[in-house]
Amino acid sequence: MKMERDERRFDFHDIGLAIKRAREASGMTQEQLAYIVDRSPRTIMYNENDGQHPSLNTFYQLVTMFDISVDQYFYPSKNTESSCRKRINAMLNSLDEKDLQVVEATIQALKNARETEVK
């Protein structure tokens, strides 16, 4: 079996920008985030703006803290959902169980109304 090195490199720019947007949307400064993840503000700046790769642990802290799905960055060819569906999924991910039950009931009512129209 022939073995070759995997020369692929992950471009962190897009996910760094997503982290920056999420941080700003939460009202947090780079200094505050740096304190939380035990890194320097300069490191956070490099991660967000220059695409510098953080350590795996820091990466995990950042994406879970801001609830950022990494699938779209790791598997872009599998990312065929419409932009509307992506926005809805992002909103659904921010809801608690009670709110999700309301959304589920609303969707079921829409489906029932559509089925009634067809008949």
Side-chain angles (χ1 to χ4, degrees), residues 9-116:
R9 298 286 181 248
F10 181 70
D11 183 358
F12 198 79
H13 281 98
D14 289 340
I15 200 161
L17 188 57
I19 291 167
K20 180 178 185 175
R21 284 191 301 255
R23 176 186 56 75
E24 289 173 342
S26 72
M28 190 181 299
T29 67
Q30 287 179 337
E31 290 77 15
Q32 291 167 326
L33 178 57
Y35 177 79
I36 292 169
V37 298
D38 195 26
R39 295 290 176 258
S40 72
R42 182 177 299 269
T43 298
I44 299 300
M45 180 191 70
Y46 287 146
N47 295 149
E48 291 181 349
N49 300 322
D50 295 339
Q52 184 181 56
H53 296 178
S55 69
L56 181 58
N57 188 56
T58 301
F59 176 73
Y60 175 78
Q61 289 175 303
L62 294 171
V63 297
T64 56
M65 177 185 309
F66 296 118
D67 197 25
I68 297 170
S69 172
V70 297
D71 283 0
Q72 63 183 322
Y73 304 102
F74 285 2
Y75 306 104
S77 63
K78 294 181 181 179
N79 193 21
T80 58
E81 292 181 343
S82 73
S83 58
C84 181
R85 184 174 297 274
K86 288 177 194 174
R87 289 190 305 272
I88 291 170
N89 284 337
M91 288 186 272
L92 289 173
N93 288 335
S94 68
L95 299 178
D96 63 18
E97 187 64 25
K98 183 179 175 185
D99 292 336
L100 286 171
Q101 289 172 353
V102 171
V103 171
E104 181 182 28
T106 304
I107 292 169
Q108 190 60 51
L110 285 169
K111 285 175 62 177
N112 292 344
R114 185 175 297 146
E115 289 171 1
T116 303

